[in-house]
Amino acid sequence: MARVFLKPDGRDLYYPESPPPGTILQPLTQDCAIPLGPPGNTVTVTIPQMAGGRIWFSAEKQLTFLRNPGGPGGGAALVEPSVLNPSDPNADVDFSFCEFTLNNDQLFANISYVDFVPRLPIALTLQIKDGAVQHVSGMAPDGLERVCVGLREQTARDGWPWDKLVVQPNGHDKPLRVLSPTHGNAVGASFDGYFEPLVEAAWKKYAASEEQPQSQSQPQQPETAKKHRLRLSLLRRKPNPNPASPPPPTLQPQSTTTTTTTLRINTQAAAGILTSHNPPSPTNPLLHIGPETFTRPSTFDILGCNSGPFTTGASPTRNAIIPRLAAAFQRGCIVATAEHPSEPETFYVGDGPVNHYARVVHECNLDGRGYAFAYDDVQVDGGRDQSGKVEAGEPAVLVVAVGGRGAGA
């Protein structure tokens, strides 16, 4: 379980050594960059079975990885390129990556936009041993520019700082990347309070106690080219109050009736379909789903998908509910329909709070598929995948095309 790199020959392995105790941010002792050659070239590398990893790409400059002591397996702890640390040596480098898992059961790979949208677009094509092919198109060469336009238009509509997620360092004539709203505070884009009206509406619909009258309405919002190909032969295997923030998006007035609706969560696991129920509760009721109870999530919890009521633990039932509940909030459809996962037609519609970063990312991918938040692979049984993943139990070759024109990869 130690960290490992492929060497430049695309086959041999380098296990970075742990530096002496007390020394940090040490360079690698070997150059592990794999040259891709000119546009249109194909480089073949062989990945042995491993727990998982990332395939990193950069243009014009090599990426810098650093070592700290005390890593897993007795090796180094790696300091990977960061899009949040302005002092990181890769802060101004044009880079991207895709992720994969290669365990005893399958290869699973996806294009990830969970943290940011890069300038370098990536497409995936998985060739399976039975001859079947899976493909994810990624973005066009101007995909990042289209994302920037979409976010700026959304800011013009609702006043929230979607436009501040665009990162364009000094000296760059074009945007370098776009951060997800999960990391908005790193660039002065606070979304504190954004999803709270949707949470309130969801609690009134699914969790309001019969002993508690419901308020009549929510506050109204004032008007206001060629590419490189990498061929992989696969072997066996708290929010803080922010007075400067605009008012939360408008929601439709709520009824004064005390009747609640039953929420149905298909866990797509052993627990099956679970429903909500509403025992008498105090003024701040919990949401009861099957045997589990959930407190109200904050915007921070919804964007990150891993804190507050979305923290996973020892209960497999709760761990199956969390992705479906979190995805329903991200997509803004938790109130629009009581059945989850819901159909894609219910995603990112209406005037209420939704993750517009995720919406724009999907709109700018050539096939509409992209992993825009942590649980973007949640889908209805038999439905069309939204996440931009490829997976197979008997993989043969994974082709990763980088640099543009993803539809032809």
Side-chain angles (χ1 to χ4, degrees):
M1 295 303 294
R3 304 301 185 200
V4 64
F5 285 86
L6 282 178
K7 291 184 178 180
D9 64 5
R11 178 173 293 273
D12 294 332
L13 304 179
Y14 161 59
Y15 292 87
E17 314 87 346
S18 178
T23 59
I24 62 172
L25 302 180
Q26 299 300 301
L28 303 181
T29 59
Q30 296 189 30
D31 182 2
C32 295
I34 301 174
L36 293 181
N41 189 44
T42 297
V43 175
T44 301
V45 306
T46 302
I47 296 181
Q49 184 173 325
M50 60 177 66
R54 286 178 171 178
I55 306 168
W56 298 80
F57 299 94
S58 65
E60 299 180 358
K61 298 179 183 178
Q62 287 188 196
L63 287 170
T64 299
F65 292 81
L66 300 172
R67 297 177 298 138
N68 284 344
L78 286 181
V79 181
E80 299 183 6
S82 171
V83 296
L84 302 180
N85 180 4
S87 64
D88 186 279
N90 307 287
D92 289 347
V93 178
D94 183 3
F95 72 85
S96 61
F97 64 82
C98 60
E99 301 176 316
F100 69 91
T101 299
L102 182 59
N103 56 27
N104 287 326
D105 300 317
Q106 66 172 345
L107 167 77
F108 179 101
N110 69 275
I111 305 170
S112 178
Y113 304 107
V114 172
D115 293 317
F116 68 101
V117 177
R119 169 164 291 284
L120 282 175
I122 291 176
L124 302 177
T125 302
L126 176 61
Q127 301 172 14
I128 305 171
K129 287 185 178 180
D130 66 4
V133 175
Q134 299 175 18
H135 177 71
V136 179
S137 297
M139 293 190 180
D142 63 346
L144 180 65
E145 285 78 7
R146 295 184 184 186
V147 171
C148 295
V149 169
L151 294 178
R152 288 165 177 155
E153 289 177 346
Q154 186 59 41
T155 293
R157 284 192 290 267
D158 65 17
W160 285 85
W162 305 101
D163 58 335
K164 290 186 178 180
L165 300 173
V166 178
V167 176
Q168 184 169 340
N170 292 333
H172 287 253
D173 57 353
K174 297 180 179 179
L176 183 60
R177 62 182 63 97
V178 169
L179 297 185
S180 80
T182 308
H183 305 308
N185 286 334
V187 287
S190 173
F191 288 89
D192 291 351
Y194 178 72
F195 274 104
E196 273 68 7
L198 183 61
V199 173
E200 178 67 15
W203 250 244
K204 286 180 178 178
K205 183 172 183 178
Y206 304 120
S209 168
E210 292 183 356
E211 300 176 353
Q212 301 300 324
Q214 298 181 7
S215 61
Q216 293 185 345
S217 65
Q218 297 295 324
Q220 298 295 306
Q221 179 181 354
E223 295 182 2
T224 56
K226 283 187 178 180
K227 57 199 169 291
H228 296 91
R229 291 173 182 250
L230 185 64
R231 187 177 185 273
L232 311 180
S233 300
L234 303 170
L235 301 186
R236 284 294 301 167
R237 3 171 258 231
K238 334 161 181 170
N240 296 318
N242 185 1
S245 295
T250 300
L251 291 172
Q252 294 298 318
Q254 302 295 308
S255 170
T256 57
T257 179
T258 57
T259 302
T260 57
T261 301
T262 298
L263 176 68
R264 294 168 59 88
I265 300 289
N266 184 351
T267 64
Q268 301 169 306
I273 297 176
L274 301 176
T275 59
S276 62
H277 52 97
N278 305 288
S281 58
T283 56
N284 188 25
L286 300 175
L287 176 60
H288 297 254
I289 303 176
E292 301 292 336
T293 58
F294 293 83
T295 58
R296 299 177 187 233
S298 66
T299 293
F300 178 85
D301 300 328
I302 293 170
L303 290 175
C305 294
N306 61 356
S307 61
F310 301 139
T311 304
T312 56
S315 168
T317 297
R318 186 178 187 86
N319 293 346
I321 297 171
I322 286 172
R324 289 140 189 90
L325 192 59
F329 277 106
Q330 288 263 5
R331 294 163 173 167
C333 57
I334 183 67
V335 173
T337 176
E339 306 279 341
H340 298 279
S342 60
E343 297 290 344
E345 291 75 17
T346 66
F347 301 170
Y348 314 116
V349 297
D351 296 326
V354 304
N355 184 343
H356 286 290
Y357 168 87
R359 173 185 63 79
V360 171
V361 164
H362 282 282
E363 290 175 354
C364 293
N365 273 267
L366 293 167
D367 54 10
R369 301 164 65 199
Y371 223 109
F373 61 89
Y375 292 126
D376 210 2
D377 56 344
V378 169
Q379 63 190 59
V380 296
D381 289 334
R384 182 177 182 273
D385 171 53
Q386 299 290 308
S387 67
K389 62 179 173 63
V390 294
E391 58 181 329
E394 293 290 331
V397 175
L398 176 65
V399 179
V400 185
V402 62
R405 298 190 182 277

